[in-house]
Amino acid sequence: MKVLLTICVVLLVITSLLLIGSILLHKGRGGGISDVFGGGISTSMRSSGVAERNLNRITVGIALVWTACIVLIGLITKIQS
């Protein structure tokens, strides 16, 4: 169980960083934190609808793995105690 817990914690850290990055890459709906990382320069590169849909799918997939890690860590710690 200790190995599974370690794997889940490492996976949680990796998916947390990936989730933060993928959320920050989303197209901004106005003046927000996404404008800090490029503003008007990168808006023409990110305007593709296909790229935005793929980024949405990747973000949802990462969020599902992140949620599964949270649930598994909770179950493992409950079983161990």
Side-chain angles (χ1 to χ4, degrees), residues 21-48:
S22 67
I23 288 171
L24 286 176
L25 285 174
H26 277 281
K27 185 176 181 181
R29 303 268 187 246
I33 195 158
S34 62
D35 290 339
V36 173
F37 298 108
I41 297 171
S42 62
T43 55
S44 62
M45 294 187 301
R46 293 185 304 188
S47 63
S48 173

